[in-house]
Amino acid sequence: MSVGIWRFLDGAPISAVRETAAEVEELGFDALWFGEYAGREAFTQAALLLAATSTLTIATGVARFDQRSPLAAEGAVRALGEAYPGRFVAGLGGHRPGARPLTALREYLDGMDSAELPGLPQPAPRPRRVLAALGPKLLDLAAERADGAHPYFVPPEHTAMARERLGPGKYLAVEQAVVLDASPDAAREHVDLYVRQAPHHQANLRRLGFTDDDLADGGSDRLVDAIVATGEQAVADRIRAHLDAGADQVCVQVLARTPDSYRRLADVIRGASLVS
């Protein structure tokens, strides 16, 4: 299916992480995307997840470029690509204090591309590389220097803009937060976290037409509804909207998870004929 799972795995014991990966694979999802924040190093965790599965694509969403050198990142990407051909996606992003994001990321990609690793040649196929890109200039960089983009915290309107900016030949994997049951608190808490602490997300929302009033007090109802799909029908409709807008894959982050959340999500996707 053209739907993956997006999840923070930090804080969970490795046994639970392996079980999550096995469940996602068993249910037929295309990929497991995970963020890097304050837990396991991203490429190490990707290796653990790849070893715990047999067909599932594992994607960093994203590995923070400010946490390791370009040489270390390139070496890790090549090693994972060699060990697990066609199953690893290197999502890159992050913020370096005091540096312009576009300049810093471009210089980092320069470092990866010029890395001298004579004992570790580029594997075939080369792992797909995508960038955490929201604004037009970073999307242009993703089109120029990567295989595509991995936008996070965006509505389908952004997906349409990103597809136009990237062009038809680039890979677009879009994160989408969902709540399968009515749980307005979970949706609002998710939005509040980013509108309070993430200026780049605030700027992106303003580019999409949201106002200061929408960003105040944890986010307006209009903003919360645009970012989080609530209820099974709304989830199916939102995934379809992203795909119709040009996404190659929708990476679903389930908020307020229960033990059967991913099975329910898989049933929703199949019931809505969203399986590619």
Side-chain angles (χ1 to χ4, degrees), residues 87-160:
R87 292 184 54 210
F88 176 62
V89 176
L92 301 171
H95 302 276
R96 182 175 294 157
R100 292 171 60 89
L102 181 67
T103 301
L105 188 51
R106 184 184 294 277
E107 291 174 350
Y108 194 84
L109 296 174
D110 289 341
M112 289 183 68
D113 291 342
S114 63
E116 295 185 6
L117 295 164
L120 190 59
Q122 190 68 254
R126 180 179 60 82
R128 180 177 278 150
R129 182 166 78 183
V130 298
L131 305 183
L134 294 175
K137 292 182 179 179
L138 275 172
L139 286 166
D140 289 346
L141 182 65
E144 174 192 352
R145 299 292 302 279
D147 298 300
H150 176 49
Y152 181 95
F153 200 74
V154 294
E157 292 78 8
H158 183 276
T159 299

Side-chain angles (χ1 to χ4, degrees), residues 1-2 266 269-270 272-276:
M1 61 179 70
S2 54
I269 292 166
R270 291 188 174 92
S273 300
L274 292 169
V275 178
S276 60

Side-chain angles (χ1 to χ4, degrees), residues 4-242:
I5 294 295
W6 200 104
R7 183 164 173 175
F8 279 112
L9 296 170
D10 292 341
I14 192 59
S15 59
V17 170
R18 290 191 178 106
E19 289 171 2
T20 294
E23 180 188 14
V24 170
E25 181 175 56
E26 178 189 356
L27 291 171
F29 291 101
D30 181 73
L32 175 59
W33 295 73
F34 67 92
E36 181 180 35
Y37 179 61
R40 297 180 189 90
E41 191 275 332
F43 295 115
T44 303
Q45 180 140 274
L48 294 169
L49 293 166
L50 286 160
T53 54
S54 58
T55 60
L56 187 67
T57 295
I58 301 299
T60 55
V62 291
R64 294 170 55 187
F65 74 86
D66 54 305
Q67 296 298 301
R68 59 190 60 80
S69 72
L71 182 67
E74 179 64 18
V77 171
R78 292 190 190 185
L80 292 173
E82 179 186 17
Y84 302 98
R87 292 184 54 210
F88 176 62
V89 176
L92 301 171
H95 302 276
R96 182 175 294 157
R100 292 171 60 89
L102 181 67
T103 301
L105 188 51
R106 184 184 294 277
E107 291 174 350
Y108 194 84
L109 296 174
D110 289 341
M112 289 183 68
D113 291 342
S114 63
E116 295 185 6
L117 295 164
L120 190 59
Q122 190 68 254
R126 180 179 60 82
R128 180 177 278 150
R129 182 166 78 183
V130 298
L131 305 183
L134 294 175
K137 292 182 179 179
L138 275 172
L139 286 166
D140 289 346
L141 182 65
E144 174 192 352
R145 299 292 302 279
D147 298 300
H150 176 49
Y152 181 95
F153 200 74
V154 294
E157 292 78 8
H158 183 276
T159 299
M161 183 274 291
R163 170 51 67 202
E164 182 176 2
R165 201 85 191 186
L166 289 171
K170 294 294 182 174
Y171 190 74
L172 180 57
V174 181
E175 181 271 346
Q176 173 62 57
V178 308
V179 180
L180 292 172
D181 297 305
S183 180
D185 289 344
R188 190 165 296 280
E189 288 169 6
H190 177 74
V191 172
D192 176 63
L193 175 67
Y194 290 97
V195 297
R196 282 191 298 107
Q197 299 184 11
H200 59 297
H201 284 301
Q202 296 170 11
N204 186 56
L205 292 170
R206 289 190 175 97
R207 280 192 296 267
L208 294 171
F210 292 97
T211 66
D212 288 343
D213 289 340
D214 288 310
L215 302 179
D217 301 322
S220 67
D221 290 344
R222 179 173 84 105
L223 177 57
V224 173
D225 289 343
I227 295 298
V228 183
T230 300
E232 291 186 358
Q233 186 59 55
V235 169
D237 291 344
R238 187 67 57 83
I239 293 171
R240 181 177 286 107
H242 280 295

